[in-house]
Amino acid sequence: MNDRAVRTEQPRLEKSLGTWSVFVAGVGLVVAASTLVSDFVGYFTIGLAFLIALLIAFLINLFLGLSCAELSTTYPRAGALYEYGAQAIPWRAASVITGMFLAFAFYGMFGLVGALEISAGSFGLQALFNATGSLTPWIVAMTVLAILPNLAHVRTMAIIEAIVLVGMLAIRWFFGAAGWTGFSNTGSWSASNWAGEIGVFEWSAILGALALAYWSFVGIEFVAPLAEETRNPRRNLPIGIVLGLLAILATSAFMGTGVGGTQPLGQWAESALGPAGCDGSCPQLVVGAAMFGDWGRGLMALGTAAATYTSMVIVLAAMPRILYGVARDGHFFGPLSRAFAYLHPRFRTPWVAIFATAALYCIVAIFFHDVVALIFAGSYAWVIIYIFWHLLVIISRFTNPHVDRPFRLPLVVPIIGAGGTGFALYYAFQGAHATYGIMSLYIFAGSLLAALISYALARKAPRPAPVDEGGRSG
């Protein structure tokens, strides 16, 4: 019997997303509140050398985006990494366990990342209302608001996401334009303000800042779990991914260089990375106050909250669909598969998986607020998972040579991508591999254990007859 027998579930996911929906999904997740933190920390600590780090990170993530496009168009199903791992490995039980391991590792890694993102946005939401005290109510409020559009049709989610995304990007570009034109309290833009001890091409500083620069782009692969709901994925996924990465690079470069050039670098670092900037966890609020006073701080707080909202809306769209993909095949901890494979009969969205994911990430966020530390911890595991994306493209070429690949890369692309990502991992975390590597090891070990337990429970569960979905049968 095939270990990947598909369980009958009706209704099915709705195919309604186009190129711009893919663009919105990718940019909405990547241009998160935590990227405001990583960008400003990067620019204010190493100056314009951070721009070079951003360009390197962009190229590495462009290769990742292309590998993501090949995998998601070749296997356009909601399970994403679960599906790719299971398809690439041809040996029955090993294929399922590999797929579940990758899915659980990605999902578990985002337990840290989701916590930092909700925390970063909650700082902004709290500041927006000039509130003090515990961050917990704001974390809960942000999570609830992100759940709501995901309970409706996926196209409704995309529309709401697009509206908030446009407003959030407009705020970032406004601050960049204000800096470049001198239209702010911090004065005219001057190249002399960027002068510091670190040169633009000082490679030790650039490599040391790669983790922060990398963070400005990670998440573009979140479009993959939406492939099953994308019209013409062969065209819409690659175009949406590339346009998204270009928009992210332009936004980060324009805003960061514009703002940073209005005051001496040391002055920005002292104020934005000190107590007023939450010791580096909310430097953007200091930037807003310095440039436009109270209303500037409020506008930056609004942009921060909007950025978290757009990212968490996509998180609560993509991550539950990974669980849904595993559960639909009957492999999510035996009897739990039926619940997590549930789709709302009207909206065709995985409600149980959405609520479970939101609750888990919210709980982690309540107990962990150190945004910068979580950025580094999450980045380490995330970069390792990116290497797996490239390896899956390479392995799949040999194990499934005859499968239709609507978007096919030259094989050198994932090879260079894997090597470049490994290079970034090594140099970005020099001196800290033990600290963050151990945290990542916990995530991967726990994910493997969960995959083995889930597979064992699934084997004991009764198996109904498989149903064909999109040309596949059990």
Side-chain angles (χ1 to χ4, degrees):
M1 181 180 293
N2 192 326
D3 280 324
R4 304 206 59 231
V6 180
R7 294 188 180 273
T8 304
E9 283 292 337
Q10 293 293 336
R12 297 175 184 173
L13 294 168
E14 183 178 56
K15 190 175 286 291
S16 59
L17 302 178
T19 298
W20 290 107
S21 297
V22 174
F23 171 86
V24 165
V27 176
L29 186 280
V30 177
V31 188
S34 54
T35 63
L36 282 169
V37 177
S38 60
D39 280 357
F40 284 131
V41 169
Y43 281 115
F44 295 162
T45 53
I46 69 167
L48 290 178
F50 186 66
L51 189 59
I52 306 302
L54 279 175
L55 290 172
I56 296 173
F58 166 78
L59 291 174
I60 294 173
N61 278 275
L62 178 61
F63 280 93
L64 180 278
L66 294 174
S67 286
C68 171
E70 174 167 326
L71 288 170
S72 58
T73 54
T74 303
Y75 310 110
R77 285 169 56 85
L81 277 173
Y82 160 71
E83 185 71 20
Y84 313 149
Q87 292 281 7
I89 305 300
W91 304 289
R92 297 171 68 85
S95 70
V96 178
I97 292 172
T98 299
M100 287 192 295
F101 161 71
L102 292 172
F104 292 158
F106 191 59
Y107 189 92
M109 173 274 299
F110 214 86
L112 293 178
V113 177
L116 76 89
E117 186 52 42
I118 297 173
S119 296
S122 297
F123 278 123
L125 196 61
Q126 189 181 50
L128 184 63
F129 289 93
N130 292 315
T132 57
S134 173
L135 201 63
T136 298
W138 304 99
I139 290 173
V140 174
M142 183 65 72
T143 305
V144 171
L145 289 173
I147 288 174
L148 296 177
N150 278 295
L151 300 181
H153 290 286
V154 68
R155 63 179 180 272
T156 303
M157 178 277 294
I159 292 170
I160 295 173
E161 176 80 355
I163 293 171
V164 180
L165 178 65
V166 168
M168 182 266 291
L169 289 177
I171 291 173
R172 294 191 182 207
W173 281 79
F174 168 77
F175 277 97
W180 280 106
T181 61
F183 176 64
S184 74
N185 297 336
T186 49
S188 300
W189 191 94
S190 173
S192 63
N193 285 328
W194 284 106
E197 297 180 358
I198 299 175
V200 176
F201 295 102
E202 189 164 326
W203 288 104
S204 60
I206 292 169
L207 295 174
L210 268 181
L212 288 172
Y214 210 87
W215 192 257
S216 295
F217 297 95
V218 294
I220 196 67
E221 77 283 4
F222 266 68
V223 303
L226 302 177
E228 192 171 333
E229 296 161 275
T230 301
R231 301 188 307 270
N232 190 11
R234 174 183 182 178
R235 173 185 180 275
N236 294 332
L237 285 168
I239 293 176
I241 287 171
V242 173
L243 288 178
L245 286 170
L246 289 171
I248 293 159
L249 176 64
T251 300
S252 178
F254 185 75
M255 180 190 67
T257 56
V259 169
T262 61
Q263 284 189 156
L265 195 60
Q267 187 175 336
W268 274 126
E270 182 179 359
S271 58
L273 306 182
C278 313
D279 296 321
S281 288
C282 59
Q284 72 276 16
L285 301 181
V286 171
V287 169
M291 295 184 74
F292 295 106
D294 289 342
W295 77 265
R297 185 176 188 274
L299 184 61
M300 192 63 87
L302 177 62
T304 302
T308 286
Y309 185 72
T310 59
S311 63
M312 291 312 298
V313 166
I314 294 302
V315 167
L316 295 182
M319 302 307 280
R321 281 164 172 78
I322 293 177
L323 297 188
Y324 165 78
V326 177
R328 182 174 56 184
D329 281 2
H331 293 131
F332 191 73
F333 297 100
L336 290 181
S337 288
R338 181 176 296 276
F340 279 80
Y342 169 80
L343 292 179
H344 189 277
R346 177 183 175 187
F347 299 119
R348 289 190 269 178
T349 48
W351 276 29
V352 174
I354 289 170
F355 282 119
T357 300
L360 176 62
Y361 292 169
C362 181
I363 290 170
V364 176
I366 288 172
F367 291 99
F368 297 97
H369 301 328
D370 190 337
V371 176
V372 175
L374 287 172
I375 284 177
F376 282 103
S379 289
Y380 199 99
W382 208 330
V383 174
I384 292 175
I385 291 173
Y386 273 9
I387 296 174
F388 282 122
W389 282 83
H390 294 298
L391 293 178
L392 286 172
V393 174
I394 298 168
I395 293 170
S396 179
R397 291 289 185 88
F398 293 97
T399 57
N400 290 314
H402 303 300
V403 70
D404 180 36
R405 289 178 168 81
F407 179 77
R408 184 185 179 94
L409 295 170
L411 194 57
V412 68
V413 172
I415 293 174
I416 293 176
T421 306
F423 167 87
L425 178 68
Y426 176 77
Y427 283 103
F429 290 92
Q430 282 192 100
H433 285 288
T435 301
Y436 299 113
I438 290 175
M439 296 178 71
S440 298
L441 183 61
Y442 289 147
I443 293 174
F444 291 125
S447 300
L448 179 59
L449 180 61
L452 292 171
I453 293 173
S454 186
Y455 179 76
L457 292 174
R459 293 289 290 174
K460 294 181 179 179
R463 290 181 172 275
V467 62
D468 179 76
E469 280 193 43
R472 275 190 48 201
S473 64

